[in-house]
């Protein structure tokens, strides 16, 4: 990989046409462009925010290809890979590599409960099929698979191109344990918005977040403050945006981020059914939170 992945890894939504329900590739590309121009350090299409689980294979391919092309090598692109079958996960990883991705982020998902040997082989099969770095992604809330720190560290150590971790359980102790078990050698990223400050203090090298879609300056400012060691400023910046971070996570990222984009004057449609758009009352709450944040000066 030519580009080192650090800092704010931004997750674009996938736009849908409100009338037909089809993927709106042009608007999706514009979403990616906004993130590139607003200070993100990397772009990660087809994550939970991008409603990857709700796309057909053909739609997934189209979004991956368009997102990579839109970034045009200005930033690293980490394409999200999640599938019930190893076979299709490998197919997606190969497609992402051929399209020009810089890395893939692999989230194993399960119907039948997966054992550690099955999880390990899933990562091994994907890693063996491509020449890209692989980010191991642990998010049991959406995947049904909870990888303990001991397994995570073993996978990274034993599979050559699994090189980094996104930890999204919301348990800061998991990050401390990964750092402890690996002697600080495994780069890990925070995937839980409300833990951003604690995660950087625990040694996270970056923050994977959808927040830059609607508050782009604030996550970058937090990263910069933590990187410089100014923890007083970091606390002020973090607490300033915390209510927005909590709101968008609690309400479901595709739903709340698309509502936030609309409030920002950018129409990106609504989530794909069975997900629904944000109701009037919570939309008003989000609007108030954004106005309050916009009235503040970043420390």
């Amino acid at each position: 990989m030519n580009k080192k992945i650090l800092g704010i890894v931004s997750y674009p939504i996938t736009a849908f046409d409100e009338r037909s329900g089809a993927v709106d590739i042009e608007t999706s590309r514009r979403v990616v462009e906004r993130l590139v121009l607003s200070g993100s350090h990397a772009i990660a299409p087809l994550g939970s925010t991008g409603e990857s689980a709700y796309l057909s294979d053909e739609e997934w391919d189209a979004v991956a290809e368009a997102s990579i092309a839109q970034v045009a090598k200005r930033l690293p692109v980490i394409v999200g890979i999640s599938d019930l079958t190893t076979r299709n996960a490998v197919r997606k990883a190969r497609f992402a590599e051929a399209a020009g991705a810089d890395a893939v982020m692999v989230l194993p998902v399960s119907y039948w409960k997966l054992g550690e040997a099955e999880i390990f082989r899933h990562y091994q099969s994907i890693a063996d099929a491509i020449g890209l770095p692989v980010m191991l992604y642990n998010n049991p809330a959406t995947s049904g698979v909870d990888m303990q720190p001991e397994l995570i560290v073993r996978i990274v150590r034993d599979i050559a191109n699994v090189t980094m971790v996104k930890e999204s359980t919301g348990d800061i102790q998991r990050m401390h344990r990964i750092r402890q078990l690996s002697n600080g050698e495994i780069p890990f990223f925070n995937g839980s918005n409300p833990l951003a400050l604690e995660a950087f203090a625990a040694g996270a090298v970056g923050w994977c977040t959808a927040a830059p879609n609607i508050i782009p300056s604030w996550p970058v400012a937090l990263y910069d403050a933590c990187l410089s060691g100014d923890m007083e400023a970091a606390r002020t910046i973090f607490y300033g945006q915390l209510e927005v971070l909590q709101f968008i996570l609690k309400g479901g990222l595709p739903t709340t981020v698309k509502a936030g984009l609309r409030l920002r004057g950018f129409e990106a449609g609504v989530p794909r059914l069975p997900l629904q758009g944000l109701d009037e009352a919570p939309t008003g709450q989000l609007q108030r939170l954004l106005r309050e944040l916009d009235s503040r000066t970043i420390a």
Side-chain angles (χ1 to χ4, degrees), residues 96-170:
E97 181 174 36
D102 297 287
V104 296
M105 178 186 66
V106 176
L107 176 71
V109 293
S110 71
Y111 178 85
W112 294 108
K113 183 177 176 60
L114 299 179
E116 290 193 357
E118 292 165 322
I119 296 168
F120 188 95
R121 185 172 180 182
H122 184 71
Y123 276 100
Q124 183 77 71
S125 298
I126 296 168
D128 286 349
I130 59 175
L132 297 179
V134 175
M135 176 185 283
L136 180 151
Y137 179 17
N138 190 38
N139 188 355
T142 59
S143 70
V145 176
D146 187 2
M147 293 175 278
Q148 295 299 311
E150 290 76 10
L151 174 60
I152 289 172
V153 171
R154 181 163 67 88
I155 290 172
V156 177
R157 282 182 170 165
D158 291 354
I159 303 176
N161 53 333
V162 180
T163 61
M164 48 193 162
V165 174
K166 176 187 174 186
E167 226 298 321
S168 297
T169 59

Side-chain angles (χ1 to χ4, degrees), residues 6 23 35 44 46 177 183 196 206 247 255 290 293:
L6 299 167
V23 171
L35 292 171
L46 295 164
R177 185 62 173 154
N183 296 315
F247 182 94
T255 298
L290 291 176
L293 189 61

Side-chain angles (χ1 to χ4, degrees), residues 199-245:
F200 282 129
V205 300
W207 175 17
C208 299
T209 176
N213 286 282
I214 55 176
I215 53 168
S217 300
W218 288 84
V220 173
L222 176 61
Y223 173 70
D224 288 342
C226 291
L227 194 64
S228 70
D230 189 345
M231 296 311 294
E232 182 175 352
R235 282 189 289 271
T236 300
I237 295 165
F238 176 66
Y239 295 142
Q241 63 189 296
L242 181 56
E243 282 191 273
V244 173
L245 298 177

Side-chain angles (χ1 to χ4, degrees), residues 55-107:
L55 303 179
S56 68
D57 284 351
E58 293 76 17
E59 290 172 327
W60 189 97
D61 291 354
V63 173
E65 191 170 48
S67 301
I68 294 165
Q70 189 64 39
V71 176
K73 297 299 181 182
R74 290 173 290 173
L75 298 174
V77 177
I78 314 164
V79 175
I81 309 287
S82 59
D83 203 278
L84 279 169
T85 68
T86 300
R87 179 179 181 179
N88 206 35
V90 166
R91 187 204 70 79
K92 289 178 176 179
R94 285 175 170 159
F95 184 93
E97 181 174 36
D102 297 287
V104 296
M105 178 186 66
V106 176
L107 176 71

